[in-house]
Amino acid sequence: MAMSQVVNTYPLSNYSFGTKEPKLEKDTSVADRLARMKINYMKEGMRTSVDAILLVQEHNHPHILLLQIGNTFCKLPGGRLKPGENEVEGLKRKLTSKLGGNSAALVPDWKVGECVATWWRPNFETMMYPYCPPHITKPKECKRLYIVHLSEKEYFAVPKNLKLLAVPLFELYDNVQRYGPVISTIPQQLSRFHFNMISS
Amino acid sequence: MAMSQVVNTYPLSNYSFGTKEPKLEKDTSVADRLARMKINYMKEGMRTSVDAILLVQEHNHPHILLLQIGNTFCKLPGGRLKPGENEVEGLKRKLTSKLGGNSAALVPDWKVGECVATWWRPNFETMMYPYCPPHITKPKECKRLYIVHLSEKEYFAVPKNLKLLAVPLFELYDNVQRYGPVISTIPQQLSRFHFNMISS
């Protein structure tokens, strides 16, 4: 068990980026979002969401692709699964919706790899925890983060209302104010991997 | 890849604890420690250290075994490898030295499992990072954290100058002031596992 798992990372410049129609957020405020979550919970039970960690490299340091909404809020590409949907298939569906081109030939071959983290939402609140707290028998959401292994070259179609950013691990680390608890601890969750930085 | 890895955890009350002769710290101050690290680096190159995450459960919540020195400082059981030493074998040697009884029959069968984190020390300073920072070509230490799977029952011999504590994940989480950056992010690093809490 002492070998590190290897993740190949390719230069950011290997990837090309286009735009597509906007993907509007379903909610315009946190309060709206939590209210909708409550309605969905009553209909469908615990929400499961899946997010992707897409890695590229620049200057021999791993970078993660984040979607920026407006001027400050960043999120991982991914989203909510349909009730009963398989996590891997659901993540591919979400990635294609967020970043795939408009024809099948322009959709990357998403290779869903290792699960690196699981976060739990105990209540209809913004707080999430990397464990299900004791005495919480009915968590409201379970969010799982997967590494998605990118091929050497890809084309991404970015919705016009979003920006796709490549953020270095050193910028995420210890930066909970800017990126929140889930994204800012990705460097610690990836630290067990050996990054094989491939130059073009 | 969508299955969670399972970690069995047994009740704290399954384990028994005795004492043995003190294991004195080699250094009495942080300055002494960094000075000795520098001397060793000149002789042997980068230090590799290995630490163990030993899990038990109480009230259906995972707890980690930490060694407390004095009234405040906590560390994971583990330590520095000899130059060229295998990580798994070296971790077993360190665990036996820290927590094994005085006869072979009283030494647990350490089952070293998954590496969950790698931390890097770029300079002879206390700061460590969960990645090797860009432009650092000669890091001074690499520390790797492994899950060590405990059997259903074990006996631990604790050095008289140390206390062995079982600390719940919810106490470690977001508590960098008390436990430092390495130990306080163990909950996030373990979140991808499914804990199979076995009652006695």
Side-chain angles (χ1 to χ4, degrees):
Chain A
M1 297 299 286
M3 292 297 293
S4 292
Q5 281 178 278
V6 173
V7 177
N8 288 332
T9 54
Y10 300 95
L12 177 59
S13 57
N14 275 23
Y15 301 98
S16 55
F17 303 89
T19 56
K20 63 178 178 183
E21 65 289 355
K23 287 263 167 215
L24 295 175
E25 293 290 294
K26 284 185 182 147
D27 309 296
T28 53
S29 73
V30 172
D32 282 3
R33 182 152 177 274
L34 296 172
R36 193 166 56 86
M37 203 179 275
K38 208 161 187 170
I39 291 166
N40 284 334
Y41 181 83
M42 289 188 292
K43 286 191 289 188
E44 302 168 351
M46 184 183 78
R47 165 199 292 247
T48 303
S49 57
V50 284
D51 283 353
I53 296 172
L54 304 173
L55 287 149
V56 301
Q57 65 106 341
E58 271 206 303
H59 309 301
N60 275 310
H61 187 72
H63 289 53
I64 286 174
L65 299 184
L66 295 179
L67 287 166
Q68 185 177 304
I69 305 158
N71 282 320
T72 54
F73 185 74
C74 282
K75 62 178 187 179
L76 294 166
R80 180 162 70 106
L81 296 182
K82 297 173 185 170
E85 191 177 21
N86 173 280
E87 292 184 6
V88 170
E89 293 313 309
L91 181 53
K92 290 179 181 177
R93 177 177 64 80
K94 283 289 178 182
L95 284 172
T96 297
S97 154
K98 296 283 167 71
L99 292 172
N102 287 324
S103 75
L106 291 177
V107 172
D109 173 24
W110 308 112
K111 294 187 197 77
V112 178
E114 298 79 359
C115 176
V116 300
T118 306
W119 289 81
W120 300 89
R121 188 188 306 275
N123 302 113
F124 298 112
E125 292 170 4
T126 54
M127 289 293 284
M128 297 189 85
Y129 298 88
Y131 46 80
C132 192
H135 314 301
I136 295 289
T137 53
K138 295 190 173 176
K140 303 307 181 281
E141 180 175 353
C142 175
K143 177 191 275 297
R144 287 162 64 82
L145 273 56
Y146 286 89
I147 291 187
V148 173
H149 297 274
L150 294 176
S151 305
E152 190 175 347
K153 291 175 190 292
E154 296 289 6
Y155 167 78
F156 299 108
V158 182
K160 272 186 179 150
N161 59 320
L162 302 175
K163 265 187 286 191
L164 190 63
L165 306 178
V167 183
L169 294 186
F170 66 76
E171 158 76 12
L172 299 176
Y173 177 60
D174 211 17
N175 200 349
V176 67
Q177 295 84 352
R178 171 83 178 85
Y179 296 102
V182 174
I183 294 176
S184 65
T185 47
I186 289 174
Q188 291 94 317
Q189 285 150 357
L190 296 183
S191 72
R192 67 190 168 98
F193 293 99
H194 173 75
F195 292 102
N196 183 25
M197 316 266 191
I198 299 167
S199 350
S200 51
Chain B
M1 298 298 287
M3 292 297 293
S4 292
Q5 281 178 278
V6 173
V7 177
N8 289 333
T9 53
Y10 300 94
L12 177 59
S13 57
N14 275 23
Y15 300 99
S16 57
F17 303 89
T19 57
K20 62 179 179 182
E21 65 289 356
K23 287 264 167 214
L24 296 175
E25 292 291 293
K26 283 184 182 147
D27 309 296
T28 53
S29 73
V30 172
D32 282 4
R33 179 150 179 275
L34 295 171
R36 192 165 57 86
M37 201 179 277
K38 208 164 189 167
I39 291 166
N40 284 335
Y41 181 83
M42 288 187 294
K43 286 191 290 190
E44 301 168 352
M46 183 183 78
R47 166 200 292 246
T48 303
S49 57
V50 285
D51 283 353
I53 296 173
L54 304 172
L55 286 148
V56 300
Q57 65 106 338
E58 271 206 302
H59 309 301
N60 275 312
H61 187 72
H63 290 54
I64 286 174
L65 299 184
L66 294 178
L67 288 166
Q68 184 177 306
I69 305 158
N71 282 320
T72 54
F73 186 73
C74 282
K75 63 179 186 179
L76 294 165
R80 179 161 70 106
L81 297 181
K82 297 172 186 172
E85 189 178 21
N86 173 280
E87 291 184 7
V88 171
E89 293 312 309
L91 181 53
K92 290 180 182 177
R93 177 177 64 80
K94 282 289 176 183
L95 284 172
T96 297
S97 153
K98 296 284 167 72
L99 292 172
N102 286 325
S103 74
L106 291 177
V107 172
D109 173 24
W110 308 112
K111 294 188 196 75
V112 178
E114 299 79 359
C115 177
V116 299
T118 306
W119 289 81
W120 299 89
R121 188 188 305 276
N123 302 112
F124 297 112
E125 293 171 4
T126 54
M127 288 294 284
M128 297 188 85
Y129 298 88
Y131 46 80
C132 192
H135 314 302
I136 295 288
T137 53
K138 294 188 172 176
K140 303 306 181 282
E141 180 175 353
C142 175
K143 176 190 278 296
R144 287 162 66 80
L145 273 57
Y146 286 89
I147 291 187
V148 174
H149 297 274
L150 294 177
S151 305
E152 191 176 346
K153 291 174 189 292
E154 296 288 6
Y155 168 79
F156 299 109
V158 183
K160 273 187 180 149
N161 59 321
L162 302 175
K163 265 188 287 192
L164 191 63
L165 306 178
V167 183
L169 294 185
F170 66 75
E171 158 77 11
L172 299 176
Y173 177 60
D174 211 19
N175 201 349
V176 66
Q177 295 83 351
R178 170 83 178 84
Y179 296 102
V182 174
I183 294 176
S184 66
T185 46
I186 288 174
Q188 291 94 318
Q189 285 150 357
L190 296 184
S191 72
R192 67 189 169 98
F193 293 98
H194 174 76
F195 292 101
N196 183 25
M197 316 265 190
I198 299 167
S199 349
S200 50

